[in-house]
Amino acid sequence: MTRRRWRITILAALATLAAVYPITSLFRDSAWLPQAVVVIALCAGVGLVARGLTRSKALVVLTQVLVVGYVLLFRYAGDTFAWFLPTPASLEVANSLGLQALDTVQRYTAPAPLNDGVTFCLLVAIGLIAICVDAMAATWRSPAAAGLPLLTAYLITAANGQAALALRFFVVPAALWLLMLHTTARAAFSRWSTANPAEESEIDEAAHDREALRSFSAGALKLGALGVVLAIAVPLVVPHFPPRYLTEGLGRSEGGGGQGSVGFNDTLDLSRSLNNSDQTPVLSYTTTAFTKAPLRVLATSYYSRGQWLQLGGGNGSGQPQPLPPASQRRDYVIDVTDNTLAAPRIAVPYPVVAVAMEGTPWAIDPVTRDVRVGRAVSSYRVTYADLAPSPPQLRESGPPDSPDVTEDDLRLPDTVRSLVQRWSDEVTAGKDNPLDRAIAIQDHLRGPAYTYSLDLGEPLRDETGRIMEPIRNFYETRRGYCVQFATAMIMMARAQGIPARMAIGFLPGEAVGTDTYIVKASDAHAWPELFFQGYGWLRFEPTPGGRSGSPPPYAVLGSDAGATGGGRSVTESGSTGRATTSAAPTRTAVAAAEPEPTGVLDRVSSAFTLRNLVIMLTLLVIVLAVLVMPITAWALRVRRRRAAVTQQDLIEAEWDDLTAHLGDLGLEAPAGATLRQLRERYVTQGHLDTESASAMRRVTATLERSRYDRPERTTPQEAVRLHHDIRSIRRQVGGTRAWKTRVRSFLWPQTGVAYWRSLPDRLSEVLSRRRS
């Protein structure tokens, strides 16, 4: 490893640290920074070792990715490893940490709270940046390209902070980047060959080379400094454009002031969606109905890992199942204008009877009855039915038997199946028909034991420290908004054998004038639909509070307890809101977020738990087992050097160490070869350059004098010089060998192997001596 390769690696690591340091301003706690230093140092160290073992640049980068990825995954999901290897459960933990980080980033502005998910994702991002910088600066020796990942790290803070970053946050990594340019330029120039000067030449070639080197490196510095100046000066004169944000959810405007279109995501995340407070208008409408119904956009039955996903489907006929007869329903008309929903979605009350959209192709999903359009439409008219079955009719509807019901409508997640079944059985105890069970579940969720809040707080963790499944988290906290309440009712209804699915859309909106209503993005809402034979999918409303409105008549009048009271008081203050505490929950959460250690000593003591100590000891045993041969060879070398009484003994030990190492690299010493024959063999087959060949000749000359000259003529200075010459020879020969040979020579040195193979003979000899 050349001196400049060490230098450029250290500079790259320092530049990465300087570029990521400003991220500390985005969070309330900087406890992630020491871990980031370790990750950056690990990337640099692995890169140095890998570059010393192989010339394959891709293999160096791959090694860095694997080692850093393994260490981070083991740090945060080590309890899921089997035989120190990651399992599918390890990936699930990593996914949960990523979702936790995404939730924190979406719900908080800077400075945001720090949690395990944010720390994990930060360390992953910093690890990737450090690997990219190290690969470009040291592996490929292109530090100019290393400026791109450094800029990416800087922009993480610049794009998310509340104010402009101080100039020092930019100057320090830029200065280190320029220093990398300077260092690499000098190294590149020094490798250029020059012709041997003629004896009659009067030109001082050494001075000429030094002058050219200064000119070359100064030019590189000037170009880099010019780029830095332009990066600072250009933004001062270029006009700034309004920022754009990458968001997910249901109502997201692509422009300000109500302009543009609003898109719908087919994925509804139980831990973060539908808590949008955007006041952008989505559409306006008039209707012939006196009671305003929610406007549904889509429905889905598929739930997986905290998310509702729309996977499509159908009953095979291509046509929706017929609606109940006209005697069991009332038809109304809704006229929508100023619609900004992006195709293929439109918002309409459920269920749809007829659609009028002149010149726009449309279709009705055969199972969910979602209306989909071929292109965006600004206005449309829809006739829809208001189903008003009586409670006695629903109680006598019979078991579900319809192509509209799929397996997903009754499926429960395996991870919370027993919890949901027990929860549902407790709530519906004593109810002997599906309607009464559904009403009991709805009234239970709207009762005083639950709190409506847009702020879910930090997710809880189980006994092993893993983030709880969102349904279990809601069961413990009794806190959430429409998505959590609707999901809970769907799962409890399924546990009672009632087909249930998630409907997503908008609340009826606010009246403007006498007969016009405006629906805003903040009106996004979710509710459960339960299937009753002969009447299809019926809406229920488990979300408490005045915002979601009262349940439909059949879900209120059929209750033995009468109309629901509407639940607890509502907190809808957004991300800073807190749950109302006037009414205590009926039970105390069995799990709570662990408090973060406040002091340095607390953090250190919390790290030395029994589990962490066992993990560290196990890792230490594995590392020692892998390195037992190299450690043995090293210990034997040290013991022999310390046992040397004279300079001759020390020189012989150094020579034996060199020949053993060269033998491990494939340069075996032939039997009967003289010292000078062996020297020429090493020079030729070791592909030694001029400097290393001279070092080899000095080594053999020193060895000859120590063997055949008077002992007092061998000085300690010669032994020290021989030691340095041998080190340079080992590096030179190692650089000419294949990486597999170098790895084998390091992990399986013959000196250590011979020691352990001879151990039984030595033990038997010792025992025989004791017996005699």
Side-chain angles (χ1 to χ4, degrees):
M1 187 69 63
T2 63
R3 179 182 177 185
R4 285 193 176 93
R5 190 70 67 91
W6 280 86
R7 185 184 302 170
I8 201 68
T9 301
I10 295 174
L11 288 175
L14 292 176
T16 304
L17 180 61
V20 303
Y21 177 77
I23 300 178
T24 54
S25 64
L26 298 180
F27 298 96
R28 301 171 188 172
D29 190 359
S30 59
W32 60 271
L33 189 58
Q35 301 181 58
V37 174
V38 174
V39 170
I40 295 172
L42 181 63
C43 294
V46 172
L48 275 174
V49 174
R51 283 188 290 270
L53 295 175
T54 179
R55 292 185 176 182
S56 174
K57 298 179 175 62
L59 187 59
V60 172
V61 176
L62 179 61
T63 303
Q64 289 175 299
V65 171
L66 292 178
V67 172
V68 174
Y70 178 87
V71 170
L72 289 179
L73 197 59
F74 186 85
R75 166 68 176 82
Y76 286 90
D79 54 342
T80 63
F81 279 34
W83 297 99
F84 297 96
L85 293 176
T87 62
S90 307
L91 301 181
E92 291 182 3
V93 173
N95 181 66
S96 299
L97 291 171
L99 293 177
Q100 182 187 18
L102 185 60
D103 174 62
T104 302
V105 171
Q106 290 180 337
R107 291 198 294 118
Y108 294 93
T109 57
L114 190 69
N115 51 45
D116 286 346
V118 171
T119 304
F120 175 76
C121 291
L122 272 177
L123 295 180
V124 170
I126 291 171
L128 291 175
I129 291 172
I131 292 172
C132 291
V133 174
D134 182 80
M136 294 175 184
T139 304
W140 270 275
R141 300 186 182 183
S142 301
L148 294 177
L150 291 175
L151 182 62
T152 300
Y154 176 81
L155 290 178
I156 291 177
T157 308
N160 293 280
Q162 296 290 341
L165 287 175
L167 187 60
R168 66 179 183 275
F169 289 133
F170 179 79
V171 170
V172 174
L176 290 170
W177 176 67
L178 292 176
L179 190 56
M180 285 193 294
L181 283 177
H182 175 72
T183 302
T184 307
R186 290 181 62 88
F189 187 87
S190 63
R191 291 194 297 268
W192 291 358
S193 300
T194 56
N196 294 326
E199 294 181 359
E200 63 274 9
S201 175
E202 298 179 357
I203 300 176
D204 187 351
E205 293 290 343
H208 182 74
D209 287 348
R210 288 193 297 271
E211 180 63 27
L213 176 59
R214 285 193 295 269
S215 177
F216 183 82
S217 57
L221 276 177
K222 289 178 182 177
L223 288 175
L226 179 61
V228 173
V229 172
L230 290 177
I232 298 175
V234 170
L236 300 177
V237 296
V238 174
H240 288 234
F241 297 96
R244 300 184 66 84
Y245 301 94
L246 297 176
T247 55
E248 62 83 41
L250 293 182
R252 300 302 189 207
S253 175
E254 294 179 1
Q259 302 298 320
S261 62
V262 176
F264 262 67
N265 192 332
D266 287 354
T267 300
L268 182 64
D269 194 314
L270 186 55
S271 63
R272 65 178 184 272
S273 297
L274 284 183
N275 58 353
N276 183 21
S277 58
D278 188 2
Q279 298 300 308
T280 302
V282 175
L283 56 86
S284 59
Y285 69 91
T286 60
T287 180
T288 58
F290 176 76
T291 302
K292 309 304 179 289
L295 281 66
R296 199 183 72 167
V297 176
L298 59 92
T300 180
S301 301
Y302 186 76
Y303 176 87
S304 176
R305 297 183 180 181
Q307 293 182 332
W308 288 98
L309 309 171
Q310 190 170 51
L311 302 181
N315 55 19
S317 65
Q319 296 294 329
Q321 289 294 298
L323 294 173
S327 60
Q328 299 179 5
R329 73 173 199 256
R330 289 184 179 181
D331 293 347
Y332 299 99
V333 175
I334 181 173
D335 289 291
V336 177
T337 57
D338 302 325
N339 175 55
T340 61
L341 280 179
R345 307 293 185 190
I346 64 171
V348 293
Y350 176 84
V352 173
V353 177
V355 180
M357 278 183 279
E358 184 176 356
T360 301
W362 59 272
I364 297 180
D365 187 278
V367 173
T368 64
R369 284 187 177 268
D370 300 337
V371 179
R372 302 194 179 195
V373 294
R375 58 175 176 269
V377 57
S378 61
S379 61
Y380 51 89
R381 169 176 288 191
V382 171
T383 302
Y384 67 96
D386 181 16
L387 303 180
S390 65
Q393 291 173 324
L394 293 179
R395 289 191 178 99
E396 299 173 358
S397 60
D401 182 17
S402 170
D404 277 0
V405 179
T406 65
E407 293 181 358
D408 290 335
D409 296 320
L410 290 168
R411 180 174 288 122
L412 293 174
D414 292 335
T415 55
V416 291
R417 181 184 299 275
S418 59
L419 168 66
V420 171
Q421 189 67 58
R422 184 177 68 254
W423 188 12
S424 177
D425 290 342
E426 293 175 358
V427 172
T428 61
K431 307 301 180 182
D432 59 358
N433 64 85
L435 177 62
D436 289 340
R437 294 191 186 103
I439 293 175
I441 296 171
Q442 174 185 264
D443 291 348
H444 171 75
L445 294 172
R446 292 177 67 91
Y450 293 86
T451 299
Y452 179 94
S453 176
L454 296 180
D455 185 5
L456 302 181
E458 292 297 325
L460 301 184
R461 297 179 179 275
D462 58 18
E463 295 80 2
T464 64
R466 298 171 61 181
I467 296 176
M468 286 186 179
E469 206 276 347
I471 295 176
R472 186 180 296 275
N473 189 88
F474 177 71
Y475 173 78
E476 301 292 352
T477 63
R478 306 294 173 102
R479 170 196 185 106
Y481 44 89
C482 60
V483 179
Q484 288 73 33
F485 284 94
T487 301
M489 182 167 184
I490 291 170
M491 295 305 169
M492 285 196 284
R494 290 179 178 181
Q496 296 302 312
I498 307 173
R501 67 188 185 188
M502 174 71 78
I504 307 166
F506 295 97
L507 294 170
E510 297 180 358
V512 178
T514 56
D515 58 355
T516 302
Y517 289 80
I518 292 182
V519 175
K520 300 177 181 179
S522 59
D523 292 322
H525 188 54
W527 61 90
E529 290 181 347
L530 278 59
F531 186 87
F532 289 85
Q533 186 65 28
Y535 299 91
W537 296 93
L538 300 178
R539 176 176 67 91
F540 285 77
E541 188 52 79
T543 305
R547 181 175 183 269
S548 59
S550 300
Y554 52 80
V556 177
L557 299 179
S559 173
D560 296 335
T564 177
R568 300 177 61 180
S569 56
V570 180
T571 299
E572 300 183 18
S573 57
S575 62
T576 60
R578 296 293 173 194
T580 306
T581 58
S582 57
T586 57
R587 58 192 298 277
T588 304
V590 298
E594 296 183 0
E596 294 290 337
T598 54
V600 176
L601 294 179
D602 292 334
R603 292 195 183 101
V604 173
S605 61
S606 64
F608 288 95
T609 61
L610 179 60
R611 173 178 172 273
N612 290 343
L613 288 176
V614 171
I615 291 175
M616 287 188 290
L617 288 176
T618 305
L619 285 176
L620 181 61
V621 170
I622 292 176
V623 170
L624 291 177
V626 172
L627 301 179
V628 61
M629 293 303 174
I631 293 175
T632 302
W634 170 81
L636 291 174
R637 290 195 301 270
V638 172
R639 186 175 67 178
R640 185 171 180 182
R641 288 172 184 169
R642 290 181 177 178
V645 178
T646 64
Q647 296 298 324
Q648 287 77 10
D649 295 337
L650 183 59
I651 291 175
E652 290 290 345
E654 293 280 5
W655 174 254
D656 291 342
D657 180 28
L658 175 62
T659 55
H661 179 71
L662 296 181
D664 292 334
L665 292 175
L667 297 179
E668 297 287 347
T674 65
L675 184 60
R676 298 190 178 186
Q677 290 174 340
L678 193 58
R679 178 190 66 192
E680 296 305 319
R681 174 182 173 83
Y682 288 152
V683 171
T684 304
Q685 298 187 9
H687 305 289
L688 299 182
D689 57 17
T690 303
E691 182 179 351
S692 298
S694 300
M696 176 61 75
R697 294 185 179 94
R698 287 196 299 270
V699 168
T700 54
T702 302
L703 182 62
E704 287 177 341
R705 284 196 299 272
S706 69
R707 287 179 176 179
Y708 308 118
D709 204 349
R710 288 183 295 180
E712 63 272 11
R713 300 190 64 175
T714 303
T715 63
Q717 291 76 15
E718 289 180 326
V720 171
R721 187 176 64 178
L722 178 135
H723 176 74
H724 290 292
D725 286 340
I726 287 178
R727 288 183 60 185
S728 65
I729 293 169
R730 289 175 57 140
R731 284 197 300 267
Q732 174 67 25
V733 175
T736 63
R737 305 291 104 174
W739 69 271
K740 293 181 180 179
T741 303
R742 280 178 283 177
V743 172
R744 186 177 63 251
S745 68
F746 174 75
L747 296 178
W748 203 251
Q750 292 303 309
T751 303
V753 174
Y755 175 83
W756 289 105
R757 286 178 177 174
S758 62
L759 183 61
D761 296 336
R762 295 198 308 274
L763 290 176
S764 61
E765 183 179 352
V766 171
L767 292 176
S768 62
R769 288 177 181 176
R770 289 184 178 181
R771 291 173 183 173
S772 60

